[in-house]
Amino acid sequence: MELGISTFAETLPDPHTGRTITYAERLQDIIGEMEMADKVGLDVYAVGEHHRSDYAVSAPEVILAAGAARTSSIRLSSAVTVLSSDDPVRVHERFAMLDGISGGRAEIMAGRGSFIESFPLFGYDLNDYDELFEEKLELLLQLQKGGPIHWEGKHRAPINGLEVFPRPEQSEMPIWIASGGTPNSTVRAGKLGLPIALAIIGGSPRNFAPLVELYKQTAAHAGHRIEPLGIASHSHGFVWDTDEEAADLFFPSTQQGMNKIGSERGWGNYTRRSFDIARSENGALYCGSPETVARKIIDLRKNVGIKRFLLHTPLGTMPHDQVMKSIRLFGEEVAPIVRDEIAQWEGR
C-alpha cells in the first residue's frame, strides 16, 4: 500500500487573518512539505497544475524538480498535468529532466483538468475537449516507449521519424490516468493498461468499488495483467492528535476552499454539518487522529481495492507548521498502522 501527499498549492486568504499568502511563500512551503514527506518515509508527493490566481503552481515539474534536489526516496508526480492543453513532446521532455534530476523518481499523472482556464490561454477550443485528450495521450504513450516517433494527428504537427531527448532515467516513466470517477475515463485507462487515480472527494468511498471492478475487467479483457496495475485515490484530509482537534483546525480552510469552487459551479453552501458528515466513518474526508485516518484508508483498500492513497492536504490555506505536523503524523503514525494491517490481511 503506497501512501503519499498531494497539493494544488492554493493561495486563498487565511480564513482567520484574511492575509493572502504570496506565490513565493506557497512554493517555498511546498518544498518543505516534500522534504518532510520524504523524511517520514512516504511513497509519493504529487502537485497539481492550474492557471488561476488562487493557485501557485502552473508547471508541476518545476516545483517537483526543486523538491527532487532536497529529497532522496519519495516519488514525484503531477496531480494532474493538463495534457489536453499542453504539448505531449514538451511534457515528456520536462518530466524526463525531472526524472534525471531525481534519479528516476518522476511520474506523470495525465488528465483533462477540472478547470478550463488553460484552454483559451493556450489557444484550444473547448469543443475539442475530449478529442484533444485522446490524441495527445496517444502521442505521450508513444514517447514513453522511446525510439523514433511516427505520429500524425489533427491538433498538432506530425512527427516523422524523430526522437525526443533527453530520455528519462527510468526505462518507462510511469503515466497515470486521472479520473473524476466517470465510467468513460475508467474504461479508457483499463483498455490501455495504464494505472488510474480516482478523485474520491465526496459521497461514500465504497461507491467507487464498482468502478474499480470495471477498470479491472476492462484491463483483463484487453489482455493486460491486473495485478501490476496501479489503482490510486486522491482525497482531502488532515491528521492531528485527536479527531476533534483535527476537525476544528481543518474545517475553516476547507469551508473556504469548497465554497470558493462551489460559488463558481453552483454548489450549495458547505457547512460544518457537511464537513462532519464527510469526515464520518463512511465519508470521503480523511480528517482525524492517526488511528481514525488509518482505519478509513484500510477500509478503502479492503473494500474498494485502492493500492495508493494520496492525502490532499491542505485544502485552502493553513499555517505551514500545521501542515508539516499533519504530514509528519501521516508518515510516522498513520503509515505504519496501514502497512502492518494490510500486510497481515493480505498474508492470510
Side-chain angles (χ1 to χ4, degrees):
M1 183 72 174
E2 292 184 320
L3 300 169
I5 299 294
S6 64
T7 182
F8 287 169
E10 293 99 325
T11 55
L12 292 171
D14 184 294
H16 300 291
T17 68
R19 178 183 177 271
T20 301
I21 190 171
T22 69
Y23 298 129
E25 287 173 323
R26 186 67 190 106
L27 293 171
Q28 290 296 325
D29 285 350
I30 290 173
I31 295 172
E33 291 164 18
M34 278 190 267
E35 288 186 277
M36 176 61 77
D38 186 60
K39 178 181 177 181
V40 297
L42 292 173
D43 299 294
V44 60
Y45 192 97
V47 182
E49 171 192 343
H50 295 89
H51 302 268
R52 297 163 48 100
S53 63
D54 46 348
Y55 296 91
V57 173
S58 58
E61 57 273 28
V62 175
I63 190 67
L64 292 171
R70 305 265 285 268
T71 58
S72 60
S73 301
I74 197 164
R75 297 193 65 79
L76 303 167
S77 175
S78 54
V80 301
T81 292
V82 186
L83 187 62
S84 304
S85 58
D86 210 332
D87 180 0
V89 173
R90 295 294 287 141
V91 168
H92 193 274
E93 287 178 337
R94 296 191 301 260
F95 275 88
M97 291 180 66
L98 170 62
D99 205 47
I101 293 168
S102 65
R105 293 185 279 135
E107 299 184 2
I108 301 171
M109 189 188 296
R112 293 179 293 182
S114 60
F115 295 99
I116 60 173
E117 286 80 6
S118 63
F119 289 83
L121 183 63
F122 298 114
Y124 290 101
D125 190 336
L126 279 170
N127 290 322
D128 300 324
Y129 186 78
D130 293 321
E131 190 176 75
L132 281 165
F133 185 73
E134 296 281 355
E135 181 177 295
K136 294 189 176 191
L137 179 61
E138 177 189 291
L139 176 54
L140 184 63
L141 292 175
Q142 284 199 33
L143 294 164
Q144 181 191 41
K145 298 184 183 303
I149 303 298
H150 297 273
W151 181 90
E152 184 172 352
K154 178 180 176 182
H155 299 281
R156 190 200 185 282
I159 304 176
N160 299 309
L162 301 176
E163 293 193 61
V164 174
F165 301 103
R167 293 300 304 162
E169 180 73 8
Q170 300 171 86
S171 58
E172 277 198 7
M173 192 162 46
I175 297 173
W176 290 69
I177 297 296
S179 169
T182 66
N184 285 344
S185 59
T186 303
V187 167
R188 178 192 297 112
K191 283 182 178 179
L192 294 170
L194 295 175
I196 189 169
L198 298 165
I200 303 180
I201 57 175
S204 171
R206 290 194 183 191
N207 291 338
F208 282 77
L211 271 179
V212 171
E213 187 59 31
L214 174 64
Y215 168 72
K216 291 179 178 179
Q217 291 176 356
T218 305
H221 189 263
H224 302 292
R225 291 179 57 230
I226 297 175
E227 186 57 35
L229 293 176
I231 305 170
S233 67
H234 162 272
S235 299
H236 302 143
F238 182 75
V239 187
W240 206 255
D241 301 309
T242 69
D243 289 351
E244 289 308 313
E245 287 177 307
D248 290 343
L249 289 172
F250 196 53
F251 172 67
S253 64
T254 299
Q255 181 186 45
Q256 183 186 55
M258 294 297 285
N259 281 338
K260 173 70 166 62
I261 298 173
S263 66
E264 300 173 10
R265 301 185 177 182
W267 300 347
N269 186 45
Y270 190 85
T271 65
R272 181 60 190 252
R273 184 173 183 274
S274 306
F275 177 86
D276 287 338
I277 291 172
R279 71 182 178 97
S280 67
E281 184 175 353
N282 296 318
L285 187 62
Y286 292 74
C287 175
S289 68
E291 294 77 13
T292 294
V293 173
R295 185 176 65 249
K296 293 187 69 169
I297 295 172
I298 291 165
D299 185 83
L300 195 61
R301 174 59 171 257
K302 290 182 176 180
N303 293 291
V304 183
I306 298 300
K307 299 179 181 179
R308 170 185 282 188
F309 177 84
L310 296 178
L311 183 77
H312 182 95
T313 193
L315 177 57
T317 295
M318 295 184 70
H320 182 53
D321 61 340
Q322 293 180 3
V323 178
M324 292 287 275
K325 178 176 175 178
S326 179
I327 294 172
R328 178 177 62 78
L329 289 172
F330 189 56
E332 292 182 347
E333 299 192 25
V334 175
I337 298 171
V338 172
R339 289 167 179 156
D340 289 348
E341 172 71 17
I342 295 301
Q344 292 177 28
W345 177 65
E346 295 189 344
R348 288 184 305 182

